[in-house]
Amino acid sequence: MVEQPDRVRTVSKRSLAAKNPLGKTPRSVAGQVFVLQVVVVVLLVLGAILALVLESRHASDAEARNRSVAVAETFAHSPGLQEALKSPSPTAVLQPLTEETRQQAGVDFIVVMDTHGIRYTHPLPDRIGKQFVGTIGPSLAGQVYTESVHGPLGHEVQAVVPVKAPDGSVVGLVSAGLKVKNVTSAGDRQLPVILGTGAAALAVATTGTALVARRLKRQTRGLGPAEMTRMYEHHNAVLHAVREGVVIVGQDKRLLLANDEARELLGLPADAESRYLGELRLDPGTEELLLSGRVATDEVHRAAGRLLVVNQRPTDRHDGSMGTVATIRDSTELLALAGKAELAGNRLALLYEAGIGIGTSLDVVRTAEELARLAVPGFADFVTVDLADPVLHGDEPNGTRLDLRRVAVNGIQQDHPFYPRGKLIDFVPSTPQAQGFGSGRSQVVPDLSVAHGWQAQDPEWTRRILDYGVHTLLTIPVTARGIILGVANFWRSQKPGPFDDGDRSLGEELVARAAVSIDNARRYTREHAMAVTLQRSLLPRALPEQSALDVAHRYLPAQSGVSGDWFDVIPLPGSRVALVVGDVVGHGLHAAATMGRLRTAVHNFSTLDLPPDELLGHLDELVSRIDQEESDSGTGTGVTGATCLYAIYDPVSRLCTVATAGHPVPALVGLDGVVVFPELPVGPPLGVGGMPFETAQVRLAEGTQIVLYTDGLIEERTRDFDVGMELLRKVLSHRNRQPEENCRAVLDALLPERPQDDVALLIAKTRVLGADRIAEREVPSDPAAVADVRAWITATLDRWDLADLAFGTELVLSELVTNAIRYGSPPVRVRLLRDRSLICEVADGSSTSPHLKYAATTDEGGRGLFLVAQLTERWGTRYTSQGKIIWAEQPLPTPAESPDGTESPDRKRGEPEPAPPAARPVGSPPPA
C-alpha cells in the first residue's frame, strides 16, 4: 500500500472538521452567503423601523431628508444591488425593483445611477439614461448627501447615497426623495415601505444566490461539498500512485508539488516542496525547462542515467501567470525497444519496396540496376552486381571459369573506386565473390583491410577501395531454381559497423527476390531471342531483283515481343511484281510461326499467277483449315485474326490490281506530293469466311509511290486511327522524296518510343517499261502465219542487239504460236518484252492449258513444250479474263567486256535499264 503523505492526512482532517455537530453535510458556499444576506437585510429593516420611530416627529423637512436617506441607503445596501450594477442591463433588473420599492416606501422616486450620474432607474421612463439632477460630488467621496432641488417631479427633497464595494470604493449611487408637499402624508406609509423594501432586498438576494449557486454547480459539475472533498482525496491518492512524475511550479519558481514518481526520477530531497528550483540540484536541461515555464511536448532529457520525456504546460491556459505543471516519464527501456522496432520497420519497408521496385521489366541488366538502387543508402553505401556472361544472353552459366560481368554499380557517390559497369571480371578463388559463387552461401568480410584473400584479386584496385573509406563487404550469391547466376556485393564506407547476422538475413532476402526476377528476365531473353530468330528467318532476308519498282522497306519488332507482321516483294511473269503486307494478331512464337505459314502460302499461291482476289480466297481457306486443325487437336492456339493486302503492279500497262482482307488501304503518293488513300473494297479478315474478296484496279503514273503498312504504324494508345492516318498523309506530302527518305520520315513521325506492336512498312516507286522495249503483234489463225512471226522476231531482236537469241526464240515462239493456232482460239497475240530477261508471251482466247510430257520414240508430236522447257529458263501459263497467256523467259547474254575492263558499247545499247540498288536485309539501317 502506498503511504499517503502528511498533505493528504491534513486534507482529510479538515474535511471531517467541516461537518456540523449534528453530523450533517455542511451548507454550500451559496447557502452560507444567502444566510449572511438575510441577516443583513433583517438588520437593515430593523434599523429603518427604529429610525422611523425616533424621527417620526421631526420637522417635515428633516423627516423628508431622513426618509430619503433611509430609503436610498436601504436600497444602496440591499443584497444583489452591486451584482445588478455589474450585469449587462442594470435597468432591466433594477427599474421594476425601484418602482415597487418607491411605491411601498412612500417616496416619490428612487434613482440608481452610475458614478457619472447617468440614471439607471426613474419613475419617468424617458428620464432613464439621462444626467441626474443634483449634486453627486460628496456621495462620490463616500458621503451621504441631502439637498432640496427642483427636479423633474417639482420641488423635491432628495438624498444621494453611495454604493460601496467591499474594498470601500464607490461603484454606484442611489438617490431617493419626496416632493415637499407629500412629506406630511408619507410618514404614515413609511413603515410598509420599509418592510416592502426589505422584502425586495430579500428577493434580490434570493435571485443573486440562485445565480451564484447555479454557476458554482456548473463549475463543480454538480458536486456538493462532500463529493468535492472525496474527489480531492481520490485525486491526491492517484497523483501519488501514478507511474508518471508530476511537478507543479509556482510563478515564483518554487516547487509547489511533486508526487512520489517525480521525487524518484528527479532525485528530489524530502523537503523539496516550497523550495526554489535552483536549490534542488537538478540536471541542467531539466532545470532550464522547469524554470523557463515554456510549453514543451515530449522533450527528452538525461537525468541520473535515465532518459526522461518531459511535457510542460501552464496551469493557467490563458497567460501562465499561475505557474506550470510538468509530467515526467521514464523512457529508457522504451527507447531501446523503439529503436529495435524502428530498425525492424525499416527492414520491412525495404523488403516491401523490393517487392514492388525490383522486377518491373523483363530485362536482366535493368533488374540488377533496380536491386543496386534499392539498397542504397538504406542498407549499404555501395552495391555492385556481377552476373555470369551467359545470363545476359538468356543462357545458364556454364564452364568452370568464374568470369562475371559487372552489370550494375550504384552508391552514395558517383566517383566510386569500383570496377566500371560492363567489365568482365575473373575472380580469383580466394575472393569472397568466388567463394560465394562456388558454395552458394553468403560471405561477410568484417574488415577489408585485413582480408588478404580479397586483396589478392587486384592489389591496385583494392588499395583504391580501402583508401576511399570502404571497410566492410557482404557478398550474396544470386541464386534461382538452384542455379547460381552471379553475386551481389554490398559495401559500407560511411556506416561505421560491419554487416551483422540481421544484415545478412535482410541482404539474402533482397537478393533472393531480385534473383527470381533476374532469372525470369533471363528466360524471357532466351525465349525472346529464339522468337526473334525464328521471325527473322521467316521474313525476307533481301528483296528480289526486279525492274518494275524501286522499293524501300522497314520492319521493327515490338518491344513486348515478336509478332506476326510480314511483307514481301514477289516477281511475277511478264515483268510484273506482287506486293504483299500482312498482320497476324498476337505476339510470341505462335504468331511468328503462323506468319511464316501464311507467307509461304502466299509465295506458293503466287506461283500459280492467281489474281489477288482468288489468292486471298485460297489464303482464307488455309487460315480456316489451320483453325479447324488446332481446334480438333485441343491446343486452342488457332489463328486469332489475320489481315493481308495483295497487290500486283504491271509496268507495261501501269495497272495496279489490289485486294485486301481486313487490312488498311495503301497510300498513293504522286509526283506532286499529293497523297491519296484510294477507295478499295475491303474484305473481311482471313479466317472469317463466307464473303468473297474483290479487286480494284488503279492506273498509276510513272514515279507514283505505293505505301503499304501494318496497323502498328498508325494505331497507338495515345491517338485514334483517323489521327494516325492524317499524320501519315502529312508526312508523305512532299515532292521529289525517294522511298528511302519517306521510310525514315514516316518512322520518325509516327513510331512511338516503345512500340507495342510490330511495324512493317513497304514503299515502292513505280517504273514503266518503255515502248522501245516492248514488241507485240496479232497472229492470224493460219499455220502459214508462223513464218511471218519468225521474220518479225528476227527483226525485233536485231533491233534490240539480241541477235544471239534469235535462233532459240524462233523455235520457242514457233512452237507456242503453232499450239495456239492449232489448239487455242482467236485472237492470238505475240508479245516480246526486253527486261532483265527476254520474255516471250503468246496469248489466245482459250482457257485450256498445255502440259509438258515425254513423247515416245514413234510419236510424231508432243515434243514442242519439251523443246520450250529446254531452250528457256522457265515457262508457264497464266489466265486472264480473255483467255490465257503462255510465257517463257530466256536469260540475256552476259555483257562482253572491252580490254580495259568496261562493257562494250554494243552491249550497253542492247541491255535493259539498270536495276535498282540491291535490297538490304530486313531491319538493317538505311545507307548513310
Side-chain angles (χ1 to χ4, degrees):
M1 180 178 294
V2 179
E3 182 180 356
Q4 299 294 331
D6 295 338
R7 190 180 187 89
V8 178
R9 290 194 291 271
T10 302
V11 172
S12 300
K13 292 177 182 179
R14 291 178 181 175
S15 64
L16 293 175
K19 295 185 178 180
N20 57 25
L22 298 178
K24 296 181 179 180
T25 303
R27 291 187 179 90
S28 65
V29 176
Q32 294 174 4
V33 172
F34 178 71
V35 172
L36 179 61
Q37 290 175 338
V38 171
V39 172
V40 171
V41 171
V42 170
L43 291 176
L44 289 175
V45 171
L46 292 177
I49 294 175
L50 180 61
L52 178 63
V53 173
L54 295 175
E55 299 294 333
S56 62
R57 302 299 181 183
H58 284 189
S60 60
D61 187 64
E63 181 181 358
R65 293 176 184 272
N66 292 337
R67 187 185 303 178
S68 298
V69 171
V71 174
E73 285 188 340
T74 300
F75 200 85
H77 293 86
S78 62
L81 177 59
Q82 296 185 21
E83 287 78 0
L85 290 174
K86 296 178 181 179
S87 65
S89 179
T91 300
V93 177
L94 296 176
Q95 177 68 9
L97 296 176
T98 55
E99 286 301 296
E100 183 180 0
T101 304
R102 177 184 67 80
Q103 295 174 3
Q104 295 180 1
V107 295
D108 292 322
F109 68 92
I110 298 176
V111 176
V112 182
M113 69 198 83
D114 60 8
T115 55
H116 299 286
I118 304 302
R119 300 187 187 100
Y120 290 133
T121 64
H122 198 275
L124 301 177
D126 59 333
R127 300 293 180 174
I128 297 174
K130 297 183 179 180
Q131 187 69 35
F132 174 72
V133 179
T135 303
I136 62 173
S139 299
L140 293 177
Q143 301 176 7
V144 177
Y145 182 75
T146 60
E147 61 180 345
S148 177
V149 298
H150 291 277
L153 301 178
H155 187 206
E156 305 167 343
V157 176
Q158 62 185 16
V160 182
V161 178
V163 179
K164 296 182 179 180
D167 58 355
S169 61
V170 178
V171 298
L173 302 174
V174 178
S175 175
L178 297 86
K179 291 186 288 186
V180 175
K181 64 180 181 178
N182 294 333
V183 172
T184 55
S185 62
D188 297 335
R189 299 191 302 271
Q190 286 183 355
L191 183 58
V193 170
I194 292 174
L195 294 177
T197 302
L202 286 176
V204 172
T206 302
T207 303
T209 301
L211 294 175
V212 172
R214 181 180 298 177
R215 183 172 183 180
L216 288 174
K217 188 175 183 180
R218 185 170 62 252
Q219 292 181 345
T220 60
R221 301 183 184 277
L223 299 178
E227 289 84 357
M228 291 289 293
T229 302
R230 286 196 301 271
M231 183 182 69
Y232 179 78
E233 292 175 352
H234 295 164
H235 285 191
N236 206 356
V238 172
L239 180 66
H240 291 277
V242 71
R243 296 292 298 171
E244 188 170 272
V246 179
V247 175
I248 300 178
V249 180
Q251 60 183 359
D252 57 353
K253 308 306 178 186
R254 292 184 180 274
L255 181 64
L256 299 181
L257 175 65
N259 67 349
D260 297 341
E261 187 71 12
R263 292 175 182 274
E264 180 181 354
L265 293 177
L266 298 178
L268 298 175
D271 59 345
E273 292 185 357
S274 301
R275 292 177 59 181
Y276 181 67
L277 286 177
E279 302 174 358
L280 301 180
R281 297 182 180 179
L282 303 176
D283 70 280
T286 307
E287 180 179 319
E288 184 275 331
L289 175 61
L290 296 177
L291 287 174
S292 67
R294 57 183 171 85
V295 175
T297 301
D298 292 340
E299 282 195 12
V300 180
H301 295 272
R302 293 189 178 274
R306 293 175 175 172
L307 205 61
L308 304 181
V309 178
V310 183
N311 291 273
Q312 183 167 266
R313 296 290 187 275
T315 55
D316 182 1
R317 67 179 63 182
H318 300 293
D319 56 7
S321 60
M322 299 298 293
T324 57
V325 57
T327 60
I328 306 172
R329 184 175 65 254
D330 186 1
S331 62
T332 306
E333 297 180 358
L334 182 63
L335 183 64
L337 293 176
K340 294 181 180 179
E342 183 180 3
L343 180 60
N346 293 337
R347 291 181 173 180
L348 287 176
L350 188 62
L351 291 176
Y352 172 77
E353 292 179 4
I356 62 176
I358 298 178
T360 59
S361 67
L362 291 172
D363 185 88
V364 174
V365 175
R366 184 175 177 182
T367 304
E369 292 174 345
E370 290 171 346
L371 171 62
R373 285 197 302 269
L374 182 72
V376 177
F379 182 67
D381 296 326
F382 294 93
V383 178
T384 59
V385 181
D386 307 319
L387 298 178
D389 219 25
V391 174
L392 303 178
H393 306 289
D395 300 324
E396 296 181 357
N398 51 21
T400 57
R401 292 193 58 187
L402 187 58
D403 292 336
L404 302 180
R405 189 173 298 277
R406 180 143 296 174
V407 295
V409 183
N410 187 40
I412 56 177
Q413 300 291 339
Q414 296 298 323
D415 56 339
H416 56 78
F418 302 100
Y419 285 135
R421 187 173 61 177
K423 180 177 178 58
L424 187 63
I425 310 170
D426 182 13
F427 288 103
V428 299
S430 62
T431 58
Q433 290 84 353
Q435 295 173 1
F437 190 87
S439 64
R441 294 188 296 271
S442 58
Q443 306 290 322
V444 177
V445 183
D447 189 356
L448 291 173
S449 62
V450 296
H452 302 293
W454 170 73
Q455 296 177 9
Q457 171 66 33
D458 190 335
E460 180 182 354
W461 279 92
T462 55
R463 175 51 53 189
R464 292 175 57 185
I465 293 175
L466 292 175
D467 293 342
Y468 196 83
V470 179
H471 56 83
T472 185
L473 166 65
L474 171 61
T475 296
I476 301 176
V478 180
T479 306
R481 298 184 300 108
I483 302 173
I484 302 177
L485 306 176
V487 291
N489 308 295
F490 302 92
W491 315 78
R492 283 183 177 175
S493 60
Q494 292 188 354
K495 294 180 174 61
F499 292 98
D500 55 20
D501 292 338
D503 295 329
R504 182 199 293 255
S505 299
L506 177 60
E508 290 175 349
E509 182 68 22
L510 287 175
V511 174
R513 297 192 180 195
V516 174
S517 299
I518 291 175
D519 187 57
N520 290 338
R522 176 192 65 81
R523 296 165 66 184
Y524 170 78
T525 301
R526 180 186 59 190
E527 295 176 2
H528 182 70
M530 293 172 56
V532 170
T533 302
L534 172 63
Q535 185 186 38
R536 292 194 180 279
S537 66
L538 297 175
L539 288 171
R541 300 294 182 88
L543 299 182
E545 295 183 358
Q546 43 80 33
S547 302
L549 297 169
D550 181 9
V551 180
H553 59 84
R554 292 290 189 278
Y555 176 80
L556 297 175
Q559 294 289 336
S560 58
V562 298
S563 185
D565 292 11
W566 90 92
F567 65 91
D568 254 318
V569 177
I570 305 173
L572 298 177
S575 295
R576 297 169 304 136
V577 177
L579 300 176
V580 188
V581 63
D583 183 5
V584 177
V585 176
H587 296 274
L589 291 175
H590 181 262
T594 303
M595 176 270 291
R597 298 174 70 176
L598 296 183
R599 178 172 177 259
T600 302
V602 170
H603 271 271
N604 292 334
F605 292 144
S606 65
T607 59
L608 301 177
D609 211 345
L610 299 174
D613 55 341
E614 294 184 21
L615 185 142
L616 291 182
H618 289 295
L619 203 61
D620 180 69
E621 293 179 3
L622 174 63
V623 172
S624 300
R625 188 162 57 252
I626 293 174
D627 283 340
Q628 185 63 37
E629 291 174 356
E630 296 188 354
S631 298
D632 294 341
S633 65
T635 59
T637 55
V639 182
T640 57
T643 63
C644 182
L645 185 146
Y646 190 83
I648 298 177
Y649 173 69
D650 188 347
V652 178
S653 63
R654 297 185 289 111
L655 283 178
C656 182
T657 306
V658 185
T660 174
H663 203 84
V665 297
L668 302 179
V669 184
L671 292 175
D672 55 357
V674 176
V675 180
V676 177
F677 294 98
E679 294 184 1
L680 303 179
V682 180
L686 299 176
V688 175
M691 294 293 292
F693 298 97
E694 300 181 49
T695 60
Q697 288 187 335
V698 182
R699 192 175 300 276
L700 303 177
E702 184 177 8
T704 301
Q705 296 188 34
I706 308 171
V707 182
L708 306 180
Y709 51 89
T710 56
D711 57 0
L713 179 68
I714 55 177
E715 287 186 347
E716 208 261 328
R717 289 181 298 178
T718 59
R719 64 171 180 252
D720 294 335
F721 180 85
D722 294 339
V723 176
M725 294 289 286
E726 185 60 28
L727 185 58
L728 178 63
R729 180 197 301 272
K730 291 181 179 179
V731 175
L732 293 174
S733 298
H734 287 274
R735 294 183 178 183
N736 302 323
R737 184 187 281 174
Q738 298 303 313
E740 192 65 45
E741 297 173 337
N742 271 332
C743 277
R744 287 196 295 266
V746 167
L747 294 183
D748 292 342
L750 276 78
L751 197 66
E753 182 178 355
R754 295 182 62 86
Q756 300 299 315
D757 195 6
D758 287 17
V759 174
L761 177 63
L762 184 67
I763 300 180
K765 184 178 181 180
T766 60
R767 294 178 176 178
V768 176
L769 200 63
D772 58 335
R773 297 165 61 186
I774 303 172
E776 59 181 339
R777 59 167 291 176
E778 289 189 6
V779 180
S781 296
D782 184 0
V786 176
D788 296 337
V789 171
R790 290 195 188 99
W792 174 76
I793 292 171
T794 302
T796 301
L797 295 181
D798 287 341
R799 188 172 68 252
W800 287 349
D801 294 334
L802 296 177
D804 294 343
L805 300 178
F807 178 75
T809 304
E810 288 180 5
L811 289 179
V812 170
L813 283 181
S814 297
E815 180 62 29
L816 295 179
V817 170
T818 301
N819 286 341
I821 294 174
R822 181 179 299 176
Y823 303 109
S825 59
V828 178
R829 295 187 62 83
V830 177
R831 185 171 71 172
L832 294 178
L833 302 177
R834 181 172 62 88
D835 196 4
R836 292 179 176 272
S837 61
L838 180 62
I839 303 171
C840 306
E841 295 180 348
V842 177
D844 67 87
S846 172
S847 59
T848 58
S849 175
H851 297 282
L852 180 65
K853 66 178 183 178
Y854 291 94
T857 307
T858 58
D859 290 343
E860 295 183 3
R863 297 178 179 84
L865 291 181
F866 183 79
L867 290 175
V868 171
Q870 294 298 317
L871 293 175
T872 60
E873 189 174 42
R874 57 178 185 151
W875 70 280
T877 304
R878 73 173 185 270
Y879 297 93
T880 66
S881 58
Q882 293 82 21
K884 69 175 182 297
I885 297 176
I886 302 177
W887 56 270
E889 293 185 4
Q890 300 178 73
L892 297 178
T894 302
E897 293 186 355
S898 59
D900 59 355
T902 60
E903 296 180 0
S904 62
D906 294 340
R907 175 47 55 197
K908 286 184 179 180
R909 288 194 305 270
E911 71 176 26
E913 292 182 7
R920 299 184 309 278
V922 176
S924 61

